[in-house]
Amino acid sequence: MKTRMKQTIVLPLLCFLSLVLMSFNVERQNDNGIDIVIDGNELDGDGVVSAYTNHLFRASSQLDGNLTECEWNFSLPLEDGSYVVVESSMGSHEFEISPVNSDFKYQVDKNGISHGVITFTAKFYDKKISATCNVGFNFKPKIVNVELISRTDVSDFFYDLHYVVEYYGSDCLIVAREVEYNATLLVSEVNEPFLADIVAKELPINCKVWICLCAKNKYGTDTYMISLPAGWSMTGNIEEISDNEDFDSIVVYNLSGCQVAVAASIDDIKSFVKGMYIFDYIKDGKSVKTLKYFNKAEIF
């Protein structure tokens, strides 16, 4: 499953700061030794969050009780480069941003990111303090969760698998399925936005099965792979991997077992020749997972 990360931005009190995206986790302190901290849930290492989910920010310091008249503003750039306030709040140290679903009027870069600004102002006794931070809002689709609901044996040789996929940023989900020892690749489209309720029919009990899920829009894709071992049960271990899997590198093999590349991320493999590959995920010098992977260029 995907791991949610929490980042902390530390800003000096009694002064105005504007942070660039890569300055997350940098602590700064003023002459008085007083810091104000803005915590944002689900920020990744580059300060980017999904535009399709809620996000909570909180301002705090060792002098919380002395921060009054708190005010928040969240702004996004328009296509002409000017900024517009999308959401604001007053009177609280916390600020929750709603999903940004209408991306047509906002400026979005080639990576599918709109570079927003969050501003916090308050009073510390008789002094007004103000701090800002830049947060990227990613308009690429996001597969949030995959839940296996049930397995139903329909004969001594086959079973049906019921699972639900929660995703955002796309109106449909592309599903590709491959079975061990079978060269046929079955590809289907599920037109159930946001929450897809899927039943995979007649999967062989004694063979491995790979199910690749893909959500796609004009800004990019998000993929999720489920690997079902032969003879697995609902209480056993199911291999799952997403684009955000924790690893250091991927050793890529073709189906003949020959190494063809070492990649830092799944994005590095987009330019590969159409086909199917074996991924060996490496973490701290050790293999942590091996999966068969469908080249997006072939099926998506």
Side-chain angles (χ1 to χ4, degrees):
M1 296 295 182
K2 295 189 176 184
T3 302
R4 294 182 174 179
M5 299 178 64
K6 179 180 178 181
Q7 301 289 344
T8 298
I9 310 162
V10 181
L11 306 170
L13 193 62
L14 307 177
C15 68
F16 178 90
L17 286 180
S18 179
L19 299 183
V20 296
L21 285 175
M22 293 305 293
S23 62
F24 287 87
N25 286 330
V26 176
E27 294 191 6
R28 306 183 185 214
Q29 192 172 60
N30 71 350
D31 293 337
N32 296 323
I34 303 173
D35 294 317
I36 184 169
V37 180
I38 297 180
D39 291 320
N41 69 331
E42 296 187 346
L43 286 167
D44 67 15
D46 292 333
V48 177
V49 297
S50 172
Y52 303 109
T53 55
N54 290 6
H55 302 287
L56 182 66
F57 294 86
R58 186 180 190 278
S60 62
S61 78
Q62 57 265 59
L63 301 174
D64 274 354
N66 296 309
L67 295 181
T68 61
E69 299 184 25
C70 300
E71 183 175 351
W72 296 85
N73 283 295
F74 161 48
S75 303
L76 282 175
L78 298 175
E79 292 178 349
D80 62 4
S82 62
Y83 277 76
V84 61
V85 175
V86 178
E87 200 163 350
S88 60
S89 177
M90 298 180 64
S92 174
H93 291 184
E94 293 187 346
F95 181 43
E96 185 172 14
I97 295 175
S98 303
V100 184
N101 292 322
S102 300
D103 62 307
F104 62 92
K105 65 179 180 179
Y106 301 119
Q107 185 182 87
V108 181
D109 67 18
K110 64 180 181 180
N111 296 314
I113 296 173
S114 183
H115 298 283
V117 177
I118 294 175
T119 303
F120 172 76
T121 60
K123 274 193 174 180
F124 176 64
Y125 294 107
D126 61 341
K127 297 180 182 293
K128 185 175 181 179
I129 60 165
S130 177
T132 67
C133 63
N134 295 338
V135 180
F137 288 80
N138 195 341
F139 283 96
K140 290 181 180 179
K142 182 180 179 67
I143 298 176
V144 179
N145 186 52
V146 177
E147 182 179 0
L148 303 185
I149 303 299
S150 65
R151 165 185 157 159
T152 303
D153 291 348
V154 295
S155 72
D156 292 337
F157 304 100
F158 297 97
Y159 65 93
D160 293 344
L161 177 66
H162 178 202
Y163 61 100
V164 174
V165 183
E166 182 182 3
Y167 67 103
Y168 301 103
S170 180
D171 292 331
C172 67
L173 194 69
I174 301 172
V175 181
R177 187 178 86 190
E178 191 212 7
V179 175
E180 187 179 23
Y181 310 123
N182 191 328
T184 302
L185 181 65
L186 299 179
V187 181
S188 60
E189 187 173 290
V190 180
N191 294 296
E192 296 181 28
F194 312 125
L195 193 66
D197 192 295
I198 304 171
V199 177
K201 296 281 191 178
E202 296 186 345
L203 304 179
I205 292 176
N206 296 317
C207 294
K208 292 181 181 179
V209 176
W210 296 271
I211 299 174
C212 184
L213 309 171
C214 177
K216 184 177 182 180
N217 65 17
K218 64 181 179 180
Y219 298 113
T221 61
D222 192 18
T223 61
Y224 196 102
M225 179 77 80
I226 304 173
S227 181
L228 303 169
W232 72 279
S233 67
M234 289 295 294
T235 58
N237 294 325
I238 305 302
E239 293 181 303
E240 302 171 350
I241 189 162
S242 74
D243 281 348
N244 292 332
E245 187 80 5
D246 184 21
F247 56 86
D248 296 327
S249 63
I250 307 171
V251 181
V252 184
Y253 300 88
N254 60 25
L255 292 183
S256 298
C258 299
Q259 181 176 327
V260 296
V262 177
S265 70
I266 294 178
D267 287 340
D268 295 339
I269 299 152
K270 291 180 179 179
S271 60
F272 280 25
V273 176
K274 293 181 180 181
M276 203 171 295
Y277 297 89
I278 304 296
F279 283 6
D280 188 12
Y281 288 82
I282 306 299
K283 178 70 175 179
D284 297 328
K286 298 180 180 180
S287 175
V288 294
K289 187 172 292 186
T290 301
L291 291 176
K292 185 176 291 188
Y293 191 83
F294 306 106
N295 188 337
K296 296 177 188 176
E298 180 174 341
I299 62 174
F300 302 131

